[in-house]
Amino acid sequence: MKAVGLFGGTFDPIHQGHLDVARAVHEALSLETVRFIPARRPPHRTPPLASAAHRFAMTALAIAGDARLRVSDAEMDQDGPSFTIDTLDRIERIEPARTGTFVFITGSDAFRDIRTWHRWPDLLDRCHFAVVSRVGLPAATLREALPDLAARMHDAPCPVTATPGIFLVDAATAPVSSTELRQALTEGAPVDDLLPDAVAEYAVRHGLYRAPGALEAPRG
Ligand code: ATP
Protein backbone atom coordinates (compact mmCIF):
# COMPACT_ATOMS: atom_id res chain seq x y z
CA MET A 1 0.00 0.00 0.00
CA LYS A 2 1.39 3.39 -0.96
CA ALA A 3 1.74 6.03 1.74
CA VAL A 4 -0.62 9.02 1.93
CA GLY A 5 0.52 12.56 2.71
CA LEU A 6 -1.39 14.67 5.23
CA PHE A 7 -0.59 18.37 4.92
CA GLY A 8 -2.01 20.40 7.78
CA GLY A 9 -1.90 24.17 7.78
CA THR A 10 -3.83 27.36 8.24
CA PHE A 11 -3.91 28.10 4.50
CA ASP A 12 -5.00 31.71 5.14
CA PRO A 13 -4.76 31.80 2.11
CA ILE A 14 -3.24 28.73 0.41
CA HIS A 15 -0.40 29.81 -1.91
CA GLN A 16 2.12 28.54 -4.46
CA GLY A 17 4.62 27.56 -1.74
CA HIS A 18 2.07 25.14 -0.25
CA LEU A 19 1.38 23.57 -3.66
CA ASP A 20 5.15 23.23 -4.29
CA VAL A 21 5.55 21.46 -0.92
CA ALA A 22 2.76 18.96 -1.62
CA ARG A 23 3.97 18.13 -5.12
CA ALA A 24 7.60 17.79 -4.01
CA VAL A 25 6.71 15.29 -1.26
CA HIS A 26 4.34 13.40 -3.54
CA GLU A 27 7.22 12.85 -5.94
CA ALA A 28 10.06 12.31 -3.43
CA LEU A 29 8.17 9.61 -1.48
CA SER A 30 6.02 8.23 -4.34
CA LEU A 31 2.87 8.94 -2.35
CA GLU A 32 -0.59 7.85 -3.43
CA THR A 33 -2.10 11.28 -2.77
CA VAL A 34 -1.56 14.34 -0.60
CA ARG A 35 -4.51 15.56 1.45
CA PHE A 36 -4.55 19.21 2.50
CA ILE A 37 -6.13 19.56 5.95
CA PRO A 38 -7.10 23.15 6.76
CA ALA A 39 -7.01 23.65 10.53
CA ARG A 40 -10.24 24.95 11.95
CA ARG A 41 -8.43 26.46 14.92
CA PRO A 42 -4.60 26.34 14.64
CA PRO A 43 -3.16 25.95 18.16
CA HIS A 44 0.18 27.80 17.93
CA ARG A 45 -0.74 31.15 16.47
CA THR A 46 -3.13 34.08 16.31
CA PRO A 47 -6.53 33.15 14.86
CA PRO A 48 -6.80 33.15 11.07
CA LEU A 49 -8.46 36.12 9.34
CA ALA A 50 -10.57 34.02 6.97
CA SER A 51 -13.12 31.55 8.37
CA ALA A 52 -12.43 27.83 8.20
CA ALA A 53 -15.13 27.51 5.52
CA HIS A 54 -13.49 30.15 3.30
CA ARG A 55 -10.03 28.59 3.80
CA PHE A 56 -11.43 25.18 2.88
CA ALA A 57 -13.04 26.64 -0.26
CA MET A 58 -9.81 28.36 -1.33
CA THR A 59 -7.88 25.12 -0.81
CA ALA A 60 -10.38 23.21 -2.95
CA LEU A 61 -10.04 25.81 -5.72
CA ALA A 62 -6.23 25.71 -5.56
CA ILE A 63 -5.97 21.94 -6.03
CA ALA A 64 -8.72 21.54 -8.63
CA GLY A 65 -7.31 19.87 -11.71
CA ASP A 66 -4.34 18.21 -9.95
CA ALA A 67 -5.22 14.53 -9.53
CA ARG A 68 -2.44 14.02 -6.96
CA LEU A 69 -4.03 16.40 -4.45
CA ARG A 70 -7.13 16.29 -2.19
CA VAL A 71 -8.67 18.48 0.47
CA SER A 72 -9.81 16.89 3.74
CA ASP A 73 -12.45 18.16 6.17
CA ALA A 74 -10.91 16.13 9.04
CA GLU A 75 -10.47 19.22 11.23
CA MET A 76 -13.47 21.21 10.06
CA ASP A 77 -16.07 19.99 12.56
CA GLN A 78 -13.81 19.79 15.62
CA ASP A 79 -14.25 22.11 18.56
CA GLY A 80 -11.10 23.27 20.30
CA PRO A 81 -7.59 23.54 18.93
CA SER A 82 -6.66 21.36 15.94
CA PHE A 83 -3.92 19.14 17.41
CA THR A 84 -2.21 16.87 14.88
CA ILE A 85 -2.26 13.86 17.23
CA ASP A 86 -6.05 14.12 17.54
CA THR A 87 -6.38 14.38 13.77
CA LEU A 88 -4.24 11.25 13.38
CA ASP A 89 -6.44 9.40 15.92
CA ARG A 90 -9.57 10.37 14.02
CA ILE A 91 -8.22 9.46 10.58
CA GLU A 92 -6.88 6.11 11.78
CA ARG A 93 -10.25 5.30 13.35
CA ILE A 94 -11.93 5.88 9.98
CA GLU A 95 -9.20 4.13 7.93
CA PRO A 96 -7.61 1.53 10.24
CA ALA A 97 -6.07 -0.39 7.33
CA ARG A 98 -3.87 2.61 6.55
CA THR A 99 -2.44 2.90 10.09
CA GLY A 100 1.33 3.36 9.84
CA THR A 101 1.24 4.62 6.26
CA PHE A 102 0.44 8.28 6.92
CA VAL A 103 3.10 10.94 6.32
CA PHE A 104 2.53 14.31 7.97
CA ILE A 105 3.99 17.10 5.84
CA THR A 106 5.45 20.33 7.20
CA GLY A 107 7.81 23.09 6.16
CA SER A 108 11.22 23.15 7.85
CA ASP A 109 10.26 26.20 9.96
CA ALA A 110 7.25 24.39 11.42
CA PHE A 111 9.13 21.15 12.12
CA ARG A 112 11.96 23.01 13.87
CA ASP A 113 9.39 23.74 16.60
CA ILE A 114 8.15 20.13 16.83
CA ARG A 115 8.95 20.02 20.54
CA THR A 116 6.16 22.56 21.15
CA TRP A 117 3.55 20.27 19.53
CA HIS A 118 0.97 18.53 21.69
CA ARG A 119 2.25 15.00 22.61
CA TRP A 120 5.04 15.26 20.04
CA PRO A 121 7.03 12.17 21.11
CA ASP A 122 3.89 10.08 20.67
CA LEU A 123 3.24 11.60 17.28
CA LEU A 124 6.78 10.88 16.02
CA ASP A 125 6.45 7.27 17.16
CA ARG A 126 3.13 6.79 15.37
CA CYS A 127 3.51 8.36 11.91
CA HIS A 128 6.06 9.50 9.38
CA PHE A 129 6.97 13.11 8.77
CA ALA A 130 8.15 14.75 5.54
CA VAL A 131 9.88 18.07 6.09
CA VAL A 132 10.42 20.40 3.14
CA SER A 133 13.02 23.18 2.93
CA ARG A 134 11.66 26.68 3.29
CA VAL A 135 13.62 29.67 2.00
CA GLY A 136 16.58 30.29 4.34
CA LEU A 137 16.10 26.98 6.18
CA PRO A 138 17.24 23.91 4.19
CA ALA A 139 15.68 20.73 5.57
CA ALA A 140 19.15 19.20 6.13
CA THR A 141 19.92 21.85 8.79
CA LEU A 142 17.38 20.12 11.05
CA ARG A 143 19.95 17.41 11.81
CA GLU A 144 21.93 20.05 13.71
CA ALA A 145 18.88 21.90 15.05
CA LEU A 146 17.31 18.68 16.42
CA PRO A 147 20.29 16.38 17.10
CA ASP A 148 18.29 13.96 19.27
CA LEU A 149 16.03 13.23 16.27
CA ALA A 150 18.82 13.03 13.66
CA ALA A 151 18.97 9.22 13.78
CA ARG A 152 15.39 9.07 12.47
CA MET A 153 16.05 11.43 9.54
CA HIS A 154 16.46 10.23 5.94
CA ASP A 155 17.26 12.24 2.83
CA ALA A 156 14.46 11.94 0.26
CA PRO A 157 13.89 10.76 -2.43
CA CYS A 158 13.79 7.37 -0.75
CA PRO A 159 11.30 4.60 0.02
CA VAL A 160 9.00 5.14 2.99
CA THR A 161 10.47 3.03 5.79
CA ALA A 162 8.57 0.46 7.88
CA THR A 163 9.33 2.30 11.13
CA PRO A 164 8.25 5.92 11.52
CA GLY A 165 10.80 8.16 9.82
CA ILE A 166 11.45 11.86 9.26
CA PHE A 167 12.07 12.40 5.55
CA LEU A 168 13.98 15.52 4.56
CA VAL A 169 12.91 16.90 1.17
CA ASP A 170 15.20 19.56 -0.25
CA ALA A 171 12.98 21.00 -2.98
CA ALA A 172 12.70 24.58 -4.21
CA THR A 173 9.42 26.04 -2.99
CA ALA A 174 8.07 29.51 -3.79
CA PRO A 175 9.61 31.89 -1.23
CA VAL A 176 6.32 33.30 0.01
CA SER A 177 4.12 33.28 3.10
CA SER A 178 0.40 33.72 3.66
CA THR A 179 1.25 36.74 5.83
CA GLU A 180 2.83 38.51 2.84
CA LEU A 181 -0.11 37.64 0.61
CA ARG A 182 -2.71 38.84 3.14
CA GLN A 183 -0.82 42.13 3.25
CA ALA A 184 -0.70 42.37 -0.55
CA LEU A 185 -4.44 41.63 -0.84
CA THR A 186 -5.24 44.23 1.83
CA GLU A 187 -3.21 46.84 -0.04
CA GLY A 188 -4.43 45.78 -3.49
CA ALA A 189 -0.79 45.08 -4.44
CA PRO A 190 0.02 42.49 -7.15
CA VAL A 191 0.33 38.88 -6.03
CA ASP A 192 1.96 37.69 -9.29
CA ASP A 193 2.14 33.92 -9.57
CA LEU A 194 2.29 33.39 -5.82
CA LEU A 195 -1.44 32.89 -5.43
CA PRO A 196 -3.42 30.63 -7.80
CA ASP A 197 -5.72 32.86 -9.93
CA ALA A 198 -8.88 31.17 -8.67
CA VAL A 199 -7.82 31.78 -5.04
CA ALA A 200 -7.00 35.44 -5.68
CA GLU A 201 -10.37 35.96 -7.39
CA TYR A 202 -12.21 34.21 -4.55
CA ALA A 203 -10.45 36.24 -1.87
CA VAL A 204 -11.22 39.52 -3.62
CA ARG A 205 -14.83 38.58 -4.41
CA HIS A 206 -15.52 37.66 -0.79
CA GLY A 207 -13.55 40.61 0.60
CA LEU A 208 -11.51 38.26 2.78
CA TYR A 209 -8.45 40.39 3.43
CA ARG A 210 -9.94 43.81 2.66
CA ALA A 211 -8.78 46.70 4.80
CA PRO A 212 -11.37 47.62 7.46
CA GLY A 213 -13.70 50.25 5.99
CA ALA A 214 -12.65 49.57 2.37
CA LEU A 215 -15.43 49.50 -0.23
CA GLU A 216 -16.69 46.10 -1.33
CA ALA A 217 -15.12 44.89 -4.58
CA PRO A 218 -17.41 45.12 -7.62
CA ARG A 219 -19.04 41.77 -8.35
CA GLY A 220 -18.15 40.16 -11.66
P1 ATP B 1 1.54 32.51 7.76
O1 ATP B 1 2.39 33.50 7.02
O2 ATP B 1 0.10 32.94 7.94
O3 ATP B 1 2.17 32.02 9.04
P2 ATP B 1 2.38 30.24 6.06
O4 ATP B 1 2.68 30.80 4.71
O5 ATP B 1 3.55 29.88 6.93
O6 ATP B 1 1.36 31.20 6.83
P3 ATP B 1 0.80 27.96 6.90
O7 ATP B 1 -0.58 27.65 6.42
O8 ATP B 1 0.96 28.44 8.28
O9 ATP B 1 1.43 29.00 5.84
O10 ATP B 1 1.77 26.75 6.62
C1 ATP B 1 1.38 25.41 6.57
C2 ATP B 1 2.64 24.60 6.38
O11 ATP B 1 3.25 24.92 5.12
C3 ATP B 1 3.73 24.82 7.44
O12 ATP B 1 4.28 23.55 7.75
C4 ATP B 1 4.75 25.70 6.73
O13 ATP B 1 6.06 25.46 7.22
C5 ATP B 1 4.63 25.23 5.29
N1 ATP B 1 4.96 26.29 4.32
C6 ATP B 1 4.24 27.41 4.09
N2 ATP B 1 4.80 28.12 3.09
C7 ATP B 1 5.90 27.46 2.68
C8 ATP B 1 6.90 27.69 1.68
N3 ATP B 1 6.87 28.80 0.93
N4 ATP B 1 7.89 26.77 1.53
C9 ATP B 1 7.92 25.67 2.32
N5 ATP B 1 7.01 25.39 3.29
C10 ATP B 1 6.00 26.26 3.47
Side-chain angles (χ1 to χ4, degrees):
M1 184 183 294
K2 278 188 162 186
V4 168
L6 303 175
F7 189 13
T10 311
F11 307 127
D12 186 26
I14 186 167
H15 55 64
Q16 188 57 45
H18 296 129
L19 295 171
D20 292 339
V21 165
R23 289 170 182 147
V25 179
H26 185 277
E27 184 176 338
L29 298 180
S30 301
L31 298 181
E32 183 177 302
T33 52
V34 173
R35 305 177 193 169
F36 285 77
I37 310 181
R40 176 163 164 170
R41 184 135 78 78
H44 298 292
R45 52 177 295 152
T46 49
L49 285 187
S51 70
H54 279 314
R55 290 181 288 110
F56 185 94
M58 288 189 283
T59 305
L61 287 171
I63 65 160
D66 188 331
R68 297 165 290 185
L69 308 180
R70 307 272 189 275
V71 59
S72 160
D73 59 3
E75 294 185 356
M76 293 295 286
D77 57 355
Q78 301 303 311
D79 290 330
S82 309
F83 291 123
T84 301
I85 190 91
D86 298 336
T87 304
L88 181 65
D89 280 342
R90 213 170 305 122
I91 292 175
E92 285 184 349
R93 260 200 311 275
I94 297 167
E95 301 168 83
R98 287 197 184 275
T99 297
T101 72
F102 291 111
V103 181
F104 269 94
I105 299 172
T106 75
S108 51
D109 58 323
F111 193 80
R112 191 178 41 185
D113 297 333
I114 188 74
R115 291 199 195 90
T116 66
W117 291 30
H118 186 51
R119 291 174 48 200
W120 65 271
D122 224 8
L123 191 58
L124 289 180
D125 285 343
R126 281 186 45 196
C127 65
H128 305 285
F129 269 82
V131 185
V132 182
S133 298
R134 194 161 184 174
V135 66
L137 191 62
T141 62
L142 293 172
R143 285 198 171 88
E144 285 148 48
L146 301 167
D148 45 328
L149 298 179
R152 298 177 181 222
M153 295 183 185
H154 312 273
D155 292 313
C158 62
V160 174
T161 46
T163 50
I166 301 166
F167 302 100
L168 306 179
V169 182
D170 190 24
T173 57
V176 65
S177 68
S178 297
T179 304
E180 290 160 2
L181 290 168
R182 288 194 298 275
Q183 181 80 19
L185 287 165
T186 302
E187 293 168 357
V191 291
D192 302 322
D193 301 335
L194 298 173
L195 207 54
D197 288 346
V199 175
E201 280 163 23
Y202 183 98
V204 171
R205 177 174 308 177
H206 294 273
L208 296 186
Y209 305 105
R210 211 168 44 203
L215 290 175
E216 194 176 333
R219 285 179 190 276

